[in-house]
């Protein structure tokens, strides 16, 4: 069975004790893959922060990983979640999208001096 959340789709197994994710685990992992934090996932799904944390901990255990990035990578490798093709097609419509995305850094402050105390020490010193 397939479900979608945002720009991600997932394969779920509704049967208990089977391989793969349950519906809530897959939804949480797809939101995590979309860049959401635990608190944002909790607000989006209407559950508490701790419930989301426990659900994702079960995902990590099923996948044999310890971090969110590892869980997303491993579940994509196994084919349990995948980005939607629509998102890939939209990014391919505009070939200059990559060039528009990166901006040169803008310096907002100019550095006056490394340390004000150095210049003060030299003024009025007998040894300078």
């Amino acid at each position: 069975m397939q479900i979608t959340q945002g720009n991600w789709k997932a394969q779920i197994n509704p049967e208990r004790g089977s391989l793969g994710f349950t519906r809530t685990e897959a939804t949480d992992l797809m939101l995590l893959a979309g860049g959401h934090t635990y608190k944002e996932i909790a607000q989006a799904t209407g559950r508490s922060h701790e419930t989301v944390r426990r659900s994702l901990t079960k995902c990590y255990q099923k996948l044999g990983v310890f971090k969110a990035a590892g869980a997303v990578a491993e579940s994509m490798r196994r084919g349990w979640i995948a980005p939607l093709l629509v998102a890939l097609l939209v990014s391919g419509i505009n070939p200059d999208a990559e060039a528009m995305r990166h901006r040169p850094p803008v310096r907002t402050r100019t550095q006056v001096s490394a340390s004000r105390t150095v210049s003060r020490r030299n003024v009025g010193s007998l040894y300078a």
Side-chain angles (χ1 to χ4, degrees):
M1 180 177 193
Q2 278 192 357
I3 61 170
T4 59
Q5 178 72 39
N7 291 334
W8 293 85
K9 67 178 180 178
Q11 294 283 345
I12 63 168
N13 261 340
E15 301 164 6
R16 274 183 85 108
S18 61
L19 290 176
F21 296 133
T22 62
R23 180 179 297 276
T24 57
E25 290 170 347
T27 303
D28 292 346
L29 194 63
M30 286 187 292
L31 287 169
L32 189 68
H36 296 280
T37 63
Y38 287 5
K39 287 182 181 181
E40 292 170 344
I41 294 170
Q43 288 175 349
T45 57
R47 295 179 292 151
S48 74
H49 172 267
E50 284 299 312
T51 305
V52 171
R53 187 188 60 78
R54 275 187 251 118
S55 172
L56 287 171
T57 301
K58 287 181 186 178
C59 290
Y60 298 168
Q61 289 173 350
K62 286 182 180 181
L63 296 168
V65 297
F66 298 100
K67 295 188 177 189
V72 172
E74 181 64 22
S75 58
M76 285 177 68
R77 189 187 69 76
R78 292 184 186 187
W80 292 357
I81 67 168
L84 285 176
L85 192 56
V86 175
L88 297 174
L89 290 174
V90 169
S91 65
I93 290 173
N94 189 359
D96 296 330
E98 191 65 27
M100 290 188 304
R101 187 173 172 165
H102 297 291
R103 296 182 304 192
V106 178
R107 194 173 277 273
T108 57
R109 287 184 1 181
T110 57
Q111 187 171 356
V112 177
S113 169
S115 175
R116 293 185 300 183
T117 58
V118 173
S119 62
R120 286 185 187 162
R121 255 187 273 146
N122 292 338
V123 176
S125 173
L126 298 173
Y127 302 106

